[in-house]
Amino acid sequence: MSALEHECGVIGIFNSDDLDLAHEIYLGLFALQHRGQLSCGIAVNNGKGQCDFIKDFGLVPEVFTLEKLRSLSEKGRGIAAIGHVRYTPSDFSELSNNQPLVMRYARGSISIACNGSLTNYLQLQNELEKKGAIFQTASDAELIGYMIARQRIKTECIEDAIEQIMPRLEGAYSFTVISPKKLVAVRDPNGFRPLCLGKIKNSYITASESCAIQSMGGTFIRDIEPGEVVVIDKNGLRSHRKNCKGTSSLCVFEYIYFARPDSIVDGASVHLCRREAGAVLSREYPVNADVVIGVPDSGLDAAIGYANESGIPYEIGFIKNRYIGRTFIQDKQQEREKSVQIKLNPIRCAVENKRVVLVDDSIVRGTTSANIVNLLRGAGAKDVHVRISSPPFLNPCYYGTDISSRDYLIACKLSNEEICRQIGADSLGYLSFNGLNKIAGHSNLKVCDACFSGNYPTQIVDAGINDKFSSKLKSIKK
Amino acid sequence: MSALEHECGVIGIFNSDDLDLAHEIYLGLFALQHRGQLSCGIAVNNGKGQCDFIKDFGLVPEVFTLEKLRSLSEKGRGIAAIGHVRYTPSDFSELSNNQPLVMRYARGSISIACNGSLTNYLQLQNELEKKGAIFQTASDAELIGYMIARQRIKTECIEDAIEQIMPRLEGAYSFTVISPKKLVAVRDPNGFRPLCLGKIKNSYITASESCAIQSMGGTFIRDIEPGEVVVIDKNGLRSHRKNCKGTSSLCVFEYIYFARPDSIVDGASVHLCRREAGAVLSREYPVNADVVIGVPDSGLDAAIGYANESGIPYEIGFIKNRYIGRTFIQDKQQEREKSVQIKLNPIRCAVENKRVVLVDDSIVRGTTSANIVNLLRGAGAKDVHVRISSPPFLNPCYYGTDISSRDYLIACKLSNEEICRQIGADSLGYLSFNGLNKIAGHSNLKVCDACFSGNYPTQIVDAGINDKFSSKLKSIKK
Amino acid sequence: MSALEHECGVIGIFNSDDLDLAHEIYLGLFALQHRGQLSCGIAVNNGKGQCDFIKDFGLVPEVFTLEKLRSLSEKGRGIAAIGHVRYTPSDFSELSNNQPLVMRYARGSISIACNGSLTNYLQLQNELEKKGAIFQTASDAELIGYMIARQRIKTECIEDAIEQIMPRLEGAYSFTVISPKKLVAVRDPNGFRPLCLGKIKNSYITASESCAIQSMGGTFIRDIEPGEVVVIDKNGLRSHRKNCKGTSSLCVFEYIYFARPDSIVDGASVHLCRREAGAVLSREYPVNADVVIGVPDSGLDAAIGYANESGIPYEIGFIKNRYIGRTFIQDKQQEREKSVQIKLNPIRCAVENKRVVLVDDSIVRGTTSANIVNLLRGAGAKDVHVRISSPPFLNPCYYGTDISSRDYLIACKLSNEEICRQIGADSLGYLSFNGLNKIAGHSNLKVCDACFSGNYPTQIVDAGINDKFSSKLKSIKK
Amino acid sequence: MSALEHECGVIGIFNSDDLDLAHEIYLGLFALQHRGQLSCGIAVNNGKGQCDFIKDFGLVPEVFTLEKLRSLSEKGRGIAAIGHVRYTPSDFSELSNNQPLVMRYARGSISIACNGSLTNYLQLQNELEKKGAIFQTASDAELIGYMIARQRIKTECIEDAIEQIMPRLEGAYSFTVISPKKLVAVRDPNGFRPLCLGKIKNSYITASESCAIQSMGGTFIRDIEPGEVVVIDKNGLRSHRKNCKGTSSLCVFEYIYFARPDSIVDGASVHLCRREAGAVLSREYPVNADVVIGVPDSGLDAAIGYANESGIPYEIGFIKNRYIGRTFIQDKQQEREKSVQIKLNPIRCAVENKRVVLVDDSIVRGTTSANIVNLLRGAGAKDVHVRISSPPFLNPCYYGTDISSRDYLIACKLSNEEICRQIGADSLGYLSFNGLNKIAGHSNLKVCDACFSGNYPTQIVDAGINDKFSSKLKSIKK
C-alpha cells in the first residue's frame, strides 16, 4: 500500500497477421492498468497515411466503449498500433498531456507513447524554443517527437534519428513509436523502466510488462536491453544497440511495488522477488508471533515469504474494498481519518488476541502505516510488528515516480525508533541493503536504488530539479 | 469465483445524533457493494413529511457524486435513511426496479429497501390486481409496500401492519422501511438473508452485513432474529417477535460465497467458516502436493485453511485484474475463451513443475473451472487437484440467487468423475454434507442448504416457479 | 414572450401498417416540444404482453439517441405507442413524475400519457389512500391509472371503465392510453386541453396539436370532442360520447400563446387567431407610429395582424438567440439584469429614432416587458407603444398552467396606467374581452377565459387549491 | 436556409477593470454561436505565466457548465481571454482541431483563436516540416502560432513578429492572440472575415461581430481595418497598419447569410442590407402575388424588404422547429425526404389558394429549395415565385466557407430556367450583380463576390486546392 504512484505503461504491436489491433492494444492496456489510472489512449496506423487515435481521462474500460474501439478499426485492422496508460499527477485536468501523442512531421504521421521522465527536459525544451519551437503539452513524448523530427531531416530512417538523439536524452524513458511503416521500441541506456518483447501469432508486441503479453494470449520472448532500439516492420525485427552501455539501472521499485507480481522483469519474477524479500526480512528481523499478514495488495507476496521462512502461519488480515475508484467521495476531515477503514477493514477473528507480523512494501509519509496499525489494535491485536520489504526511503526520485522532494519522506526526518513509535508499532524492521541485493536470487541483477542509497545513475543537471515536475505541469494545461 | 450472483444489500439508520445520514448510508452501501453492482439508491426522511431519494444504475461511487449526496442533505441531516445495492439480472434496463422504493400511502411517505425473493410473489400480485391494484415495478419491495398500505388502514402502527402481513409472505426477505417517524427492520421467519444491528454514537444502524457497520465506524450489536421486527424511533429500539419461530434457515451460500469475509453472520465469522471449510476439505480429500492456491477472491480463505491443515505451503497462484467493471468489452467469441486470462493470470513461477491444490468455493456450470485448470496447465503445473469448499450444487434456489433451473447445473448432469474429467483436473473433491455442518464451528448454526440437499425450508407453491424470475422481469420494465 | 409555461403534450398511434412506431412517436413528440422541454418519454406496446418504455429529462433529440430509439423497436415495430413531453415545474428533480406512466394491472400492462391538471387530485388521492392505495409519483396519470384499474374489475372493456370514471375527474385532462390491444384517447368534457385525430397511411394518430400530425407526414382528420373517448384497435376506430356535454372550454391561452401557430385547434388556425387579435387590437388601440414589431416568437403573428390592419410597416425589431437551452448559466445578479439582452438583442437601425408599436401576447409579472421596452429605448426608439394581444391576466389558473396564485400577477396589483408607467411604455393597450371573442373569426368558438374573467368552467373544490401544485410536487420526488 | 456553413467566430477581451473574463467571453461566444456549433473554447491568461483553457465539442451552454466556468476563474479574474466557436466539417471527431490553441514558445504561453482559411496552408506547412516542425492539429491557428514563434526570436515584441509574417499568409484570417501581457487582434489585408472593436467599462473587446459586444452589455467602437493589427495591454490600445492596403474584400455572404442581422459589419447593418436586397429584388423581379414569405430565418429580412417595396403583404409562411440540434436523428432514407417538414412546417391558412412570393438567401445544391416549394404546394399555394436575395452561386470558395468544389453547385450545371423547373417554382429571380452592389446603401462597400463573379481577390496558388480541405482534415485527427 505504497503512497508512491506509477509513472505510466506503454504497449505496441506490429500486425503480421490479420489482428484487430485496436482490440489487441485494449487487452494489453487493460493488463497494464495498474501502471496508470488517470487516462489512457490508443493510436492505430491504419495504413492510410495517418494515425487514428482516441485518448481520454478514465480507466481503459471506461474510455474504450465498444463503439469507440470499433471506430478505430473501421478503416482497417491496422498496420501497427500503440497504447498508453497514465497515472494521476497533482493536477487532474491537463488533457493535452494524455498519450499517445500523434503528430505530423516531414515524413508523415507518427505517434509516440512514453514511460519515464527526462531529467534534462527543461534544458532541451529551452534549446528548442530558442529555435522557434512551440509546445502544446508538458509531456516527454512531445519533446522526444520534436527531437526526432529535427534529426529525421538528416537521416535515412527514423531508427537512425532515434539512435542519434538518445545521447541527448537524460533520465528514464521507455517509449514506442509508430512511423508510417514501422513500430519502434526504445529503452534508455540505463533501463530505468522495463520494456519487453513478445509475440502473438506472427506479430511482435512490445510492452512495459510481460503480464500484458500474457493477457493478450501472446508469448513472452525477452526483455529489451537498456539502450536498445527495436525496429519492427514487414521485413521482421531488427535490433540496434549502438547506445547499449552494458549496464543496467532498473528502478528497484518495479520489483518492490510497481510491477504486477505475475510479470517477469529483466529476467526476474516479481512475485518471487517479493517473496524472497519477505524471507530475507524474516531472517533479518525475526519475532515471536502468531500470524503473519500482508497489507493488500502489494504486501501479500512478501508476507507469504515471511510466513514460510519463519514458520509463523500466514493469514488474511484485511479485506480491501475492490470498488474504490477515483470518484469515491472523502470530503470531510472526519472522513479522511476513517478512510483507511473504508478501504481496508480488519478481520477481527483473524487478529484478535494475537501477536501479528504486519508486512508492507514501504513507508513513505508514515500516515497510512499508522492508520493500519491502529486498525489492528482496534480489532484486538495484542502485538503489531511491522516489517517493511524495502530499505528506508531517503532520497527523492527524478526518474518517474512522484516523490521529488525530501519533505514528504518520514525516514529523512525520524529515526527508525521514532518511526516505530509514531506509527504505533511494537517493533519495526526494514529490509537491509544487503538483503535488497539478494531478492532477485541471482547475482547479476543491477538496479537503481537511489531512493534508498542516494547513488543516482545519472547526473542530475538542474539544481532546481525538485521543482521540475511542478513547473512542467504548470507550463501548459487544459 | 462463483457464477452465482448476489441478490442485494440493505442498510438503514435512525438519527439520534446529528449525523449527515446520506453520507453515512453512502459509506455503508459502499461496504455492501459486493452484494450488488447493478444499481444503488439512498432515501432520506428529512422530517418534512416526505422522502428524498436518488437511485440509479452504477456503483455507489459512480451514482453518488458529491453534488448528489449534498442534494440529499440540503433539507436537513435527516431523521432516518435507508440504502440499497442491487445485483445484475439478465435484463439490464429495468430502471423502475431500482430501490429503495419511495411511495405515499394513507399515513404519509414511506420507503422500502428489500433483499430476498418472495416465492409467492405472483400469487400475491394476482390477488392484489383483482382488487384493483396497479404495479409499476417488478420488485418485492412494491408488493410488500402494497400489502403494508392495505393492512395499515386497520392498524394502530406500521409495525403491527408488518407483523400481520408477514404470515402471507413466503420466501426470503430482509427489508428496512422508513415511515414518517420510524425506521423498521424486518427479517423473514426463516432468516434466509442476513440482517444485523449496530450503533454509531447513539444512532442505530440495521444492515445486511456487519462489515457495513464497521466501515461506517460503528459498533456491531447483534444479528436480527429470523421473524423479528425491529422498530427504532425517538423513544429508542423495540423488538417484536410474534413471527419468530425459533428456527433458522440462513442461506449457506452467505458463508460460502456471498458475504464479505470480515462480516459476522448469525454469530459466525465468514472468514473462519471458509477457513474451516478448507481445513475439513483437507481432511476429507487429502493429496500429496507442493502448493495450495485459491481462486481469487472467494477461494482464498478456504485455501489458507486447506494449507494450514495439510501442511502444504500456501501460495498466490493468480493475479486478478482489479479494474474489471461492467463496461469491459468482450464482444467476440474468441475473446470469451480468453476472458478468464484477462481477468485471472497465473503466476508461472509459483506453479511451474508443481503439484497444485486449487481451492474454489463452488462449481456451477463448470466452464470457469475448466478455464482455470487450463491456465494452470499452461503455466506448467504438473498436477491440478481441484477442491471445492461446498457440496455439489444440485438444486435450483428460489430464495434470491439467480439459479432457478437445473439446466445450468453441471452436477445435475455429470458424476463427480465426469466433472473432474471435463474440467481437466487430476482429482476433484467436494466438501461433504457432514463437513458442511462443521464449518461454523458451533453446533447450533442452522442453514438452508436446499441447493445441495433439495430440502427446501418452505413450500414452493408454484409448479412453474422456474419461470418466475423471467416472467417477473418481463412484466414491467424500462 | 410569456412567462407562462406549457403543461404538456401527448401523442399516440395505433399501427395498422408496418410503421416503426418508436420512430413515428419521436417525430411527433419533436413537433410538440414547445409544449414541454423538461422531460419526454415514449412507451411502445410490442405485442409481447408488456410495454417497453424510455423516459428521461431532456429535449426529445437529447433523450432519444439512435441507440435508444432502436432498443424500443428491437422487439418489433409495435402494436401501439404513446409519447409525452413535460414542461418544467419549480422542482427539477422529480424523476418519477416523468411520463408515459407504465403499469401492470389485472388485465395486463398499460401506459398513460396525460396533459392537464385535475382540480380534485388531492381529494381523489385521499379517497384511494384510505382504501390502501400507494402512490409512487405526483402525476395525474398515476391517479387516473389507479381509477381505471379499480373500475376495470367491474367492466367488460377498458373504454367502459374510462367512461365510468370520467364523471369523478374534475379539471383539465387530455390523455392517451395503450391497453394490451387498444389505443384510447380521452378529452375531458370541458375540452380544456386540445386533442386531435389524424392518420398516416392506415394508422390513426391522436395528438395534442395538429402540427405533430403534419410533421409526421400524416393527415389531420378532426378535433376530438370534449368528453369524447376514442378507441382504436385492429377493428378500426370507435367513438364513445356518453360524457360529451355539448359544451366547450378550451383554454384561450392555447390560441394566445401555448399552441404552435401552424396548428389548427378546435377548428381555428392558431396563426390566424393571433393575426386577428393583432388586427382587433389595432382597431381598439390605434396609434401613430413608424414601425410595428413583435416580441419573438409569440408576438410575431399578432404584430403582422396589427401592421396589416393599421398600415404601419412591419419590421423585425429583435434577434432572439436560438441556442438558449436549460443549461445556460445566469448565476450572478448582474447577469439577470442583462439576461433579456442575451436572449433578445434589438436591431438598432430598425428602431432608432422611430415610433415603435411593440406587440406581445401577455404581461404576467411585468419584469420581462419592462426589460424589453428598456432595450428599445437603449437602441434609440423614440416612442414605445405596448400592445398586448390578450386582456389583463387577473386570475389564477387551476387547469394546468403554472400560475396558481394572484401574487405573481401584475394586473391584480396595478392599474393599466400604473403598469404602463412601470414598464416604461408611452402607451399600453390590452385586447378587450369583446375583441377576444372575435379572434377565432367564427361565433361558436367557446373558450375558458377564467384567467381574464374569473369565470371558471368547473367548481374549484379545494379552498387551498392555490397550494395544490406545490403540495403535490412535494409529496413524492426524486 | 443556406446549405453553406459558417467558418468560425472569435472574441477577445483585455481586463482593464475587474471583470470575470471567463464569464464575459462566455456571453460573447454565446452571441456568436450562429458562426459555429461544432465546438467551442475559452482560454484565460490568469497572469500566472500560463493560459488555462477549456474546449470541447458542443454548444456554448453545453460545454461551459457553471462548474467549468468557475474553474477558469478560480486562479483570478484574468488579464486577458479569448474564445472561439467552430462550425462542423465533414469529420466530426478531430478533437485536436478545437480552438483556442494554447501553446508555449520562447516567450511564454500564448493562445490563438482564428476565423478564416489560409489558401497556402499546405505550402507553409511543408516548408516548416522541412525545418523539423511537428504538427498536432490541422488548424490554421497552429500554423500561424508556429510562424509567430519562429519570427518572435528575431523581434522585440509579438506584434512585430505578427506584422512580419502577415505577408506570408495568403487567404482569409481574423485572429486574436493572448501573449503573456497583451491581447492582439489581427485582420487579413483583404478583410475577408469581419472583426470589430468594442468596450465594456474600460476593457477593450475584439469580436467577429458587433452583436457579441452588445450581448455582453458593451459598446461597439469600430471595425478593425483589413490588414490592421490591434494591440491592447495595460498601456491601452495601439494600432499597427503596415499591412493595410486600403482595399477591402469582405465576404459578401456575411451580409447575405453568415452574420447575425443585428450586427453592423464594416459600417453596414446586416439587417438593412438584407432588407435592401429584398427591395432591389422586388424591383428587378416584380410579380403579381398575394403574400410574401421568407424562408426562416435567413430569408425573413429580405422578405420584409420585398414586401414593403412591392406592397404585397408580408406573411409568416413557415414554423421552424427551434429544438433541432446536432443530435436529431434522421437515419432512414424515407426520413431524409421528410426532413424539411420536420424542421419547417407550412402554415396552411397563410398560403392556401394564394400566389406566394418565397424569398430565400441562396440556392446551393437546389434540393432544399425543391423541398420547400413542394411543402408550399402541399399546403395549397396556387403559385410559388421564388426570389433569391443573391446572384447565382457559380464558383468555389477558398476563404473559409465549405464549398470548395463546383460539383455541388446547381447553378454551374443548370440554366436559371432549368433550376426553376427543377425546384418546381412558377418563376425564379436572382438578385443581379448590379443589385448586389446596391445593398449596402453606400457606394464604398467593397466585397469579395468571387463565389458569384469568379474574381478572386488573391492568387490561388495550388491547382489542387479543391482538395485542400479534405487533405488537411485527413492529415491529423482524433
Side-chain angles (χ1 to χ4, degrees), chain B residues 49-56 68 75 91 95-96 101-109 122 125 129-137 142 145-146 149-150 153 473-478, chain C residues 49-56 68 75 91 95-96 101-109 122 125 129-137 142 145-146 149-150 153 473-478:
Chain B
Q50 77 196 81
C51 279
D52 292 314
F53 64 97
I54 289 173
K55 53 186 182 183
D56 208 345
K68 284 199 178 159
K75 291 179 193 157
D91 197 319
L95 176 64
S96 28
L101 202 72
V102 176
M103 56 184 70
R104 191 184 147 81
Y105 79 146
R107 304 305 170 99
S109 185
L122 290 179
Q125 187 191 42
E129 282 179 358
K130 282 182 181 150
K131 292 171 185 157
I134 59 176
F135 288 89
Q136 298 179 48
T137 80
E142 187 183 26
Y146 237 124
R150 294 180 66 92
I153 304 165
L473 287 174
K474 275 178 200 152
S475 63
I476 294 173
K477 42 171 307 258
K478 183 203 139 95
Chain C
Q50 77 196 79
C51 279
D52 292 313
F53 64 96
I54 289 174
K55 55 186 182 183
D56 208 346
K68 284 198 179 161
K75 291 179 193 156
D91 197 318
L95 176 64
S96 28
L101 202 73
V102 176
M103 56 183 73
R104 192 184 146 80
Y105 78 146
R107 306 304 171 99
S109 185
L122 290 179
Q125 187 192 43
E129 282 180 356
K130 281 182 183 151
K131 291 171 187 156
I134 59 176
F135 287 89
Q136 297 178 47
T137 79
E142 187 183 25
Y146 237 125
R150 294 179 67 91
I153 304 166
L473 288 173
K474 275 179 199 151
S475 64
I476 294 174
K477 44 170 303 258
K478 182 200 139 105

Side-chain angles (χ1 to χ4, degrees), chain B residues 227-248:
Chain B
E228 185 178 358
V229 175
V230 169
V231 184
I232 305 155
D233 61 16
K234 63 177 181 179
N235 300 317
L237 181 149
R238 291 181 307 283
S239 188
H240 298 251
R241 292 190 168 84
K242 203 177 293 174
N243 293 303
C244 293
K245 307 184 304 181
T247 63
S248 178

Side-chain angles (χ1 to χ4, degrees), chain A residues 12 19 58 103 183 211 224 258 260 267 271 368 411 431 439 471 473:
Chain A
L19 302 172
M103 55 184 71
L183 174 70
C211 68
I224 292 179
F258 291 162
R260 228 171 75 166
H271 170 68
T368 302
L431 186 69
I439 67 170
S471 68
L473 287 173

Side-chain angles (χ1 to χ4, degrees), chain A residues 210-211 214-215 260-264 270-271, chain B residues 319 345-348:
Chain A
S210 64
C211 68
Q214 275 186 279
S215 284
R260 228 171 75 166
D262 52 336
S263 285
I264 306 289
V270 174
H271 170 68
Chain B
I319 295 301
N345 196 38
I347 300 181
R348 173 170 282 273

